[in-house]
Amino acid sequence: MNYRHAFHAGNHADVLKHIALLAICDALVAKPAPVFALDTHAGRGLYALDSNSAQRTGEAEGGIGRLIAEAPRHPAVARYLAAIRACRHEHGQASYPGSPWLLAHALREQDRIAACELQPEEAGQLKAVFERDPRVAVHARDGYAAMKALLPARIGETRYNRGLVLIDPPYEAQLEEFDTAIAALREGISRWPQGTFALWYPIKLRRALQPFYRRAAAIPAKSSFVAELQVRADDSPLRMNGSGLLVLNPPWQLDQSLAGVLPLLARVLGEGPGAASRVEWLVRAA
């Protein structure tokens, strides 16, 4: 695989993904039972927005850069920006946290995190980030295969009945990645039916996603919804016009939180009249 998230760190897709990730984590830690989190495509965990890779695309300026400059008032935005400040206090003002860093930031001492990364260089960087954090186990392996090996979540004598699986693939295989991801979600929910699962996906041409929506709705989760943020009209197959999260077994009121913040993000991060957002249930709990 040639994908490197360093080119895209802090863009509009990361803003959506990481605001939702923190909201899920905060809901999980609201109860005392320990939590397990599996990040299947973890990347390097920490990025420098002044690196050549980030500067080459400039995508962070249209994402986290714009959000910091015009922060709309909403608890989910405040929570996210507080995490960014914590990361920069520890690692410097040009730093940006990847999803495993945010998981480690949001979860507690009794919680555990498994972060998977297949690319050797990225996995090496990830191990360096968490070498002093005993809560985080870094696996240099395929994240989809890790779902079979690590679910249901059990470490030693502790069985984790609550937690999160974040699937954030690079989509180098384009639409074929959806087939792999749907199969992994079916496998994961069968092994850990009480877990929360979140799949990130890009939006180019929305009509191409209709088969994905139908198959996602057929996954036997107790409940599921999609949350999407578009920064421009979805009329070009050549670029990512937005992105979404499919969430299975979402925490209580996560949909309401995202429904409140996404229109604000569309206003701040939007690049034209096609900017939009939506939260739509696929399956509601009985």
Side-chain angles (χ1 to χ4, degrees):
M1 299 193 312
N2 297 316
Y3 179 87
R4 292 290 188 276
H5 192 67
F7 291 98
H8 312 290
N11 67 2
H12 60 83
D14 266 2
V15 171
L16 165 67
K17 177 172 48 188
H18 293 159
I19 282 179
L21 178 62
L22 288 170
I24 293 171
C25 288
D26 289 348
L28 289 171
V29 302
K31 296 182 179 180
V35 167
F36 174 78
L38 170 59
D39 192 337
T40 64
H41 297 73
R44 60 176 51 200
L46 189 65
Y47 301 91
L49 298 186
D50 59 355
S51 68
N52 289 335
S53 299
Q55 292 291 313
R56 191 182 306 177
T57 64
E59 290 185 16
E61 285 304 311
I64 185 59
R66 193 177 296 181
L67 190 67
I68 289 174
E70 190 184 343
R73 293 188 176 183
H74 189 280
V77 173
R79 174 72 174 98
Y80 172 54
L81 294 182
I84 300 297
R85 288 194 297 271
C87 178
R88 293 182 170 179
H89 177 75
E90 184 176 346
H91 300 288
Q93 288 302 304
S95 63
Y96 183 82
S99 53
W101 193 97
L102 291 171
L103 286 169
H105 169 77
L107 299 183
R108 304 159 300 183
E109 184 178 351
Q110 68 266 39
D111 301 325
R112 293 295 181 268
I113 301 163
C116 299
E117 177 53 48
L118 190 59
Q119 297 176 6
E121 181 182 349
E122 300 290 278
Q125 293 289 336
L126 186 63
K127 288 182 178 180
V129 169
F130 294 112
E131 62 182 353
R132 297 182 181 179
D133 192 335
R135 302 172 302 156
V136 183
V138 175
H139 301 263
R141 64 181 301 178
D142 176 72
Y144 290 126
M147 291 176 67
K148 295 181 180 180
L150 301 179
L151 300 179
R154 189 184 187 104
I155 300 175
E157 297 300 318
T158 303
R159 180 171 181 173
Y160 294 83
N161 294 320
R162 303 174 62 251
L164 164 69
V165 177
L166 174 65
I167 306 174
D168 181 20
Y171 290 89
E172 286 190 320
Q174 302 293 322
L175 292 177
E176 292 180 10
E177 189 77 49
F178 287 98
D179 297 334
T180 305
I182 289 289
L185 285 170
R186 282 186 166 275
E187 175 78 22
I189 207 78
S190 69
R191 291 175 172 270
W192 203 29
Q194 68 272 43
T196 296
F197 293 75
L199 169 68
W200 178 85
Y201 56 92
I203 299 174
K204 294 182 178 180
L205 289 176
R206 179 179 297 281
R207 63 177 179 269
L209 295 177
Q210 294 306 316
F212 163 68
Y213 295 138
R214 289 193 296 270
R215 294 177 65 191
I219 296 173
K222 295 177 182 177
S223 59
S224 61
F225 68 74
V226 292
E228 298 180 343
L229 172 66
Q230 287 179 226
V231 298
R232 61 183 75 91
D234 59 348
D235 57 358
S236 171
L238 302 179
R239 60 182 179 177
M240 186 172 67
N241 300 304
S243 66
L245 279 176
L246 165 66
V247 186
L248 310 181
N249 297 338
W252 184 60
Q253 293 189 334
L254 177 66
D255 63 315
Q256 295 180 32
S257 175
L258 295 181
V261 72
L262 288 183
L264 302 177
L265 297 180
R267 176 179 61 80
V268 173
L269 305 183
E271 300 178 4
S277 67
R278 73 169 183 142
V279 175
E280 183 174 324
W281 284 94
L282 303 179
V283 177
R284 280 188 178 271

